[in-house]
Amino acid sequence: MAEKKKAAPKSTKAEKNVKIDSQANGSAQPGFAIEKLFLKDVSVEVPNSPEIFTQREAPQIAIELGNSGKPLADGYFEVALKITVTSKIADKTAFLIEVTQAGIFALRNIPEENLEMIIAITCPNILFPYAREAISDLVIKAGFAPVLLNPINFEMLYMQQKQQAAGNAVDTKN
């Protein structure tokens, strides 16, 4: 019942050198990795408590969104997604929550023309669920009904920003 094992072909020293040389020549595959996800900043304000809890109106919620990316060491980038949620009942602020969810991403051998899109689209898509969860938890802990933010199309936002930048560049030339 013993099976014969096929001997794996042994690579020669010359083959090993070829593999190493091809990586040294910059033909390494592009790489993307999440190194660390973290809450960079959190703020919760309930300026009109406890009176605001006696209000029976449904709160009106406004959301602001900001995104930034900055290079760290070679091939590493910090991307931060800042979300501000403001809730008002009548003319009084019920709560104001700011969350900055950040991550450190390793971007290796990515063409320069694709780097901006990855930082503006892919990284925020990864960060958003964590920020949304933090906001929902903080709203509940502040004494209000949960708030679940709708998904955000970061690709569309990126394209809109590019169009606005192109429009502004045309306006400044005139």
Side-chain angles (χ1 to χ4, degrees):
M1 294 204 136
E3 293 182 29
K4 289 186 179 181
K5 293 184 179 177
K6 288 187 178 180
K10 294 182 180 179
S11 61
T12 65
K13 191 172 187 176
E15 288 173 334
K16 288 180 183 174
N17 287 340
V18 169
K19 290 177 187 171
I20 292 170
D21 288 345
S22 69
Q23 290 176 352
N25 290 334
S27 64
Q29 294 293 320
F32 176 87
I34 302 168
E35 295 296 318
K36 187 78 172 168
L37 299 174
F38 57 97
L39 273 174
K40 188 166 185 164
D41 190 26
V42 174
S43 172
V44 178
E45 297 176 32
V46 186
N48 293 299
S49 67
E51 298 85 16
I52 201 72
F53 295 114
T54 62
Q55 301 290 321
R56 297 291 174 222
E57 293 179 45
Q60 300 297 317
I61 296 175
I63 299 169
E64 288 181 43
L65 183 66
N67 181 15
S68 66
K70 70 176 183 178
L72 299 173
D74 185 39
Y76 291 91
F77 293 83
E78 178 192 29
V79 178
L81 179 63
K82 182 178 180 181
I83 301 175
T84 303
V85 179
T86 305
S87 175
K88 292 188 178 249
I89 297 177
D91 62 342
K92 291 186 177 184
T93 299
F95 62 84
L96 172 74
I97 295 180
E98 291 180 334
V99 169
T100 302
Q101 181 70 48
I104 298 173
F105 299 90
L107 304 172
R108 305 273 183 195
N109 303 315
I110 307 261
E112 192 67 35
E113 63 271 8
N114 296 343
L115 201 56
E116 181 184 5
M117 287 188 353
I118 291 172
I119 290 171
I121 298 169
T122 305
C123 296
N125 273 325
I126 291 169
L127 296 172
F128 182 73
Y130 295 95
R132 179 172 59 187
E133 178 186 20
I135 288 167
S136 181
D137 289 348
L138 291 167
V139 169
I140 292 168
K141 289 178 181 178
F144 296 93
V147 171
L148 185 59
L149 302 178
N150 289 326
I152 295 173
N153 185 340
F154 289 100
E155 183 175 4
M156 184 183 70
L157 289 175
Y158 174 73
M159 295 303 183
Q160 286 174 348
Q161 288 173 347
K162 286 303 223 184
Q163 287 174 349
Q164 286 176 348
N168 289 343
V170 170
D171 288 344
T172 57
K173 288 181 182 179
N174 292 333

